[in-house]
Amino acid sequence: MTASVFLVALSLRPALTAVGPLLPQIGLDENLGEAAQGALGALPLVAFGLASPLVHLASRRLGMERAVFVSLLVLAAASVARSYTGHVGLWIGTIVIGAAIAVGNVLVPVLIKRDYAAHVSRATGVYTAFITGGAALASVLAVPIANLADWRLSLAVWGGLALVVALVRLPAHSNSGPIAPVVVDGGDPPVSVWRQPMAWLVTFYMGLQSTSFYLLVNWLPTIEITTGGVSESTAGIHLFLFQGFGLVGGLTIPRLMKNPVSQRAGAVVASTPIVIALLGLLLVPDLVIVWAVIAGLGQGAALVAALTLISYRGRSPHETTQLSGMAQSVGYLLAATGPVIAGYLAEHTGGWTATLVVFSCLAAVQVIVGFAAGPRPPRPPVLTPTAATCGGSRSSC
């Protein structure tokens, strides 16, 4: 049953990544311009940001397993409501979906640290592989399902996946218990993560990674359709490649994240392909399939890097939950501006050049933040003089 935590990861992205390939259809059917479509893509991220700081309160009251179980049920119901409760339901359902997913975003890394303490980076890589696998599957199937029925069914069907995962996790729900704060460092209470500079670096790294990810998830198909003349189904395949290669990047980067000393290199290496891919989309757009693959490798690796940094920085399950909530709250609120700014710039400039310039610069900032967020190599210890090291007499030192 411990391994079923990875199935939760499988259900955390399809309700979001199925939207991007369908935005042209949704926009036409619901009379939404680019800015409104960008807002629709950003709403789950706003919900992530607002709900994430509250997750540790729910986990302390209900227990982590029960909180995850309830969130899966809510996700399943909201996925159906978003599609079939009218225009208002489209927006409200999207918000509820984001809030439900936020619970899994925050708690699943904590469960992984608890259950796989000796292999945190490797288990985090597997976790992100399930996330990106589910995301990629939803992206590539979104348009074919919509062609068989409509976009409403294409979005609602992923609620069924969340329901199945909830049923698989039902035995874990019955064994759940609340978690309590842990006192560390000889009885001194831990410093709030909101007052720790390193926590803010990890938070900004998470936010910048998420900003570029949700830019591409929501807008890459539209960019291709409007500037390259590709079909919706082809754009969906490219988005599948983007997320599929994220799986490869997520499984590869743990080799550089397995110990604190190498995490700085891992965070930088993971971020660099994102800069290359966004500049490639700007300068050589005809090679979009190449840039989609490179961006996918970077995004998958950067997500593992961010989650691994969160896991290693928390000194207890309680502190790790708080740090995860902080990083995903502020990080996703930052990321929520991405799809909106991208849509706004596209609508007011008549193209995607300005958007790609802005987000290439943000990706470069992510590289710098990743370097700063990685811990410095430990300094050699300073030895206090003793009689043994001073020729038998301390006074001779």
Side-chain angles (χ1 to χ4, degrees):
M1 185 53 62
T2 298
S4 68
V5 70
F6 298 115
L7 295 180
V8 178
L10 192 67
S11 65
L12 292 180
R13 292 297 180 269
L16 305 182
T17 58
V19 174
L22 300 174
L23 272 179
Q25 296 184 37
I26 297 172
L28 183 63
D29 198 23
E30 298 291 332
N31 195 27
L32 304 177
E34 282 88 349
Q37 293 175 40
L40 186 66
L43 266 184
L45 307 183
V46 174
F48 287 175
L50 296 178
S52 294
L54 307 176
V55 172
H56 82 280
L57 299 177
S59 68
R60 288 178 63 182
R61 184 177 181 85
L62 301 175
M64 289 188 289
E65 303 287 3
R66 287 177 188 162
V68 170
F69 176 78
V70 172
S71 72
L72 289 169
L73 296 181
V74 172
L75 175 58
S79 297
V80 176
R82 175 177 61 175
S83 292
Y84 296 109
T85 56
H87 186 77
V88 174
L90 173 67
W91 294 92
I92 294 178
T94 298
I95 294 172
V96 176
I97 285 170
I101 292 174
V103 177
N105 285 343
V106 173
L107 293 183
V108 171
V110 183
L111 291 171
I112 288 174
K113 181 176 181 179
R114 182 196 69 185
D115 297 336
Y116 298 93
H119 307 283
V120 171
S121 61
R122 185 182 305 172
T124 301
V126 175
Y127 161 66
T128 57
F130 274 81
I131 283 184
T132 54
L137 186 65
S139 296
V140 76
L141 293 180
V143 172
I145 294 174
N147 290 340
L148 292 174
D150 57 19
W151 65 264
R152 299 182 189 277
L153 178 63
S154 186
L155 293 182
V157 69
W158 301 107
L161 174 62
L163 181 60
V164 169
V165 174
L167 295 177
V168 172
R169 293 283 297 173
L170 187 57
H173 159 270
S174 62
N175 295 326
S176 181
I179 62 175
V182 175
V183 177
V184 296
D185 295 334
D188 294 329
V191 177
S192 168
V193 294
W194 295 90
R195 296 168 57 190
Q196 298 177 20
M198 182 59 71
W200 282 103
L201 288 172
V202 173
T203 294
F204 285 126
Y205 186 83
M206 181 86 184
L208 290 166
Q209 179 273 327
S210 299
T211 298
S212 56
F213 174 78
Y214 285 102
L215 164 77
L216 294 170
V217 163
N218 284 283
W219 285 119
L220 181 59
T222 303
I223 292 172
E224 293 187 51
I225 292 168
T226 57
T227 63
V230 303
S231 66
E232 290 182 354
S233 58
T234 300
I237 292 173
H238 290 170
L239 191 59
F240 170 78
L241 290 174
F242 163 67
Q243 296 181 94
F245 275 89
L247 187 153
V248 177
L251 290 175
T252 303
I253 200 65
R255 293 178 180 273
L256 284 177
M257 301 295 296
K258 60 185 178 180
N259 64 73
V261 175
S262 64
Q263 286 169 18
R264 169 175 285 176
V268 170
V269 169
S271 305
T272 303
I274 304 172
V275 182
I276 296 172
L278 289 172
L279 288 175
L281 285 171
L282 175 66
L283 301 175
V284 193
D286 290 343
L287 298 179
V288 61
I289 189 171
V290 175
W291 311 131
V293 168
I294 293 175
L297 290 169
Q299 288 292 350
L303 178 58
V304 172
L307 294 175
T308 302
L309 289 172
I310 291 171
S311 294
Y312 276 120
R313 296 303 178 268
R315 295 170 295 175
S316 70
H318 176 69
E319 187 174 81
T320 303
T321 303
Q322 283 193 318
L323 177 56
S324 183
M326 173 187 172
Q328 300 194 53
S329 173
V330 178
Y332 282 127
L333 285 175
L334 175 64
T337 64
V340 177
I341 291 173
Y344 178 86
L345 290 174
E347 192 169 310
H348 287 79
T349 64
W352 293 95
T353 298
T355 295
L356 292 172
V357 169
V358 168
F359 285 89
S360 295
C361 293
L362 290 176
V365 173
Q366 180 185 328
V367 175
I368 298 171
V369 173
F371 180 83
R376 295 175 177 85
R379 294 180 179 179
V382 178
L383 300 178
T384 301
T386 65
T389 59
C390 298
S393 171
R394 294 176 66 102
S395 62
S396 64
C397 292

